[in-house]
Each structure stands twice: as structure tokens, then as C-alpha cells.
Amino acid sequence: MGEPERYVEFLIPVYVVLLVVMFENNPNSIFLLIGWNILFTFVQMSGSILKSFLVKMTKSNPVKQEHIWNEAVETMNSYLEDGKNRVFSNSLQLTKHFMGGNAKILFPTIAYPYTGRYHFSEIFPRDYSTIDKDVIPGLLKDFSIDWLLFDSNLDQTHNLENWPFLKKEKELNGNITICSVNLEMIKNV
């Protein structure tokens, strides 16, 4: 059930008791009950509208982001070669753009509790679209990933220089870095 349905389900027994009490003492109290319903509906709708407005204001420009992702796909396709075409990104939105192409992608999902040895709550500790940087080396090694596309918009605290197994090939718009992966250099993770 959705959020509004839960409120209605909670209020039905309260309304029954209120109706009995109100009509027992004052038959004209139906207007008070209608007013309460209108007020409650208004408050709930205001909260939903405010929440959707705030979400819309905090998201980045989707047209610009879409352009950057398409540029990343085009650039990455020039790097792909036979046998070295396993691609991974810390952004699931960027990874989706590789579906249907000639790249093999690793796409962790919450539909399955585990991706390799990692539980989805380890992979997505904050939200579903952002992969945690601490599990990336293990995923790269476990799934023999050849290329990493690191979106620094999602994690501005991490420096790719801390990962010696990555070789920066190209940086796009200062946000997305295309790196080749040297699996032999990944230590026990």
C-alpha cells in the first residue's frame, strides 16, 4: 500500500468512533467532519507537492547529464576491443547506457540479495543508484572487469590515485574518468 492508503486505513476506525460520538451529541456535526477531511487532504497534498518540488530542484540538469553519458559511451566504444570489453561504473545510470551495445556490463541490482560476494546493502549503502567505493575493487576483481568509468559527481571525496590498479585513459568534462583495470595489481580484497 502507498503512503496515502496507510493514512486512510489508520483513520477509518477513528472516523467510526467520531461519527457515533458526534451524531449522538449534535446531528449537524457532519460539517465538522467534512472540514476535518478537507484539512487533512490539503495538508497531505501540500507535503507531497513540496517533496516533489524539492526533489526536482536538487536534481542535476538531465539534458546535460544525458549528453555527458552519451559522450562517455561513444568514447568508451572506441576503447573496446575483442575480449577486453567488460565495463563497470559507480553510476548505474551511466551503466544503463551500455546495455544493448558490444560491452559486457556488470549491473548490480537489488532484485538479488548478492552480487558476487557482496550483499546489496554493502553495494548500495546510501541509495540505489550509487555504488559504494569500498566494494569497487572487489567487484572489479571478482568479475574480471576491464574498464571502470568513475563518475566523480557521485563521490567527490575519493581520489582515483589511491587505486594503483587503475590507469586513467581519458577524463570527460571533469566528471567521468575512463580507466583501464590491471587485475593483477588488485591485492586481496
Side-chain angles (χ1 to χ4, degrees):
M1 250 192 274
E3 193 77 17
E5 291 87 1
R6 280 189 240 139
Y7 290 127
V8 170
E9 186 177 277
F10 170 75
L11 288 176
I12 288 174
V14 173
Y15 280 154
V16 170
V17 173
L18 281 175
L19 282 172
V20 170
V21 170
M22 289 169 59
F23 288 125
E24 186 109 347
N25 297 331
N26 185 1
N28 293 330
S29 59
I30 188 74
F31 300 112
L32 181 64
L33 184 61
I34 291 172
W36 170 256
N37 278 329
I38 291 172
L39 177 68
F40 186 74
T41 303
F42 176 75
V43 168
Q44 189 158 7
M45 287 176 57
S46 305
S48 296
I49 291 170
L50 179 65
K51 181 179 177 185
S52 64
F53 176 74
L54 290 174
V55 166
K56 192 175 265 189
M57 293 301 292
T58 57
K59 286 200 173 187
S60 62
N61 184 350
V63 174
K64 182 181 177 201
Q65 197 67 31
E66 189 74 25
H67 172 71
I68 293 170
W69 289 335
N70 288 335
E71 182 184 350
V73 171
E74 288 174 20
T75 305
M76 190 64 227
N77 283 336
S78 69
Y79 285 107
L80 295 179
E81 53 190 65
D82 291 335
K84 283 205 146 245
N85 59 352
R86 293 176 184 244
V87 178
F88 182 62
S89 176
N90 64 328
S91 166
L92 288 187
Q93 295 301 324
L94 177 56
T95 306
K96 287 178 186 178
H97 284 73
F98 285 93
M99 290 182 171
N102 58 349
K104 295 177 183 175
I105 60 169
L106 172 60
F107 192 80
T109 177
I110 60 172
Y112 302 103
Y114 286 91
T115 299
R117 59 185 154 144
Y118 295 102
H119 193 265
F120 70 84
S121 63
E122 294 174 282
I123 298 173
F124 307 108
R126 291 180 300 276
D127 61 59
Y128 175 59
S129 63
T130 307
I131 296 171
D132 187 47
K133 69 178 182 287
D134 296 334
V135 301
I136 290 177
L139 290 171
L140 294 176
K141 186 169 182 141
D142 292 352
F143 292 95
S144 302
I145 301 298
D146 302 310
W147 299 95
L148 173 68
L149 282 83
F150 192 82
D151 188 346
S152 60
N153 282 337
L154 300 178
D155 189 353
Q156 296 175 348
T157 63
H158 186 68
N159 185 357
L160 291 178
E161 304 298 327
N162 296 339
W163 286 340
F165 52 86
L166 295 180
K167 177 184 173 197
K168 288 185 185 179
E169 301 289 342
K170 188 163 187 177
E171 198 165 315
L172 304 172
N173 296 325
N175 301 341
I176 298 173
T177 306
I178 298 175
C179 302
S180 60
V181 180
N182 184 341
L183 295 173
E184 286 82 32
M185 289 184 70
I186 300 177
K187 303 294 180 215
N188 295 332
V189 286

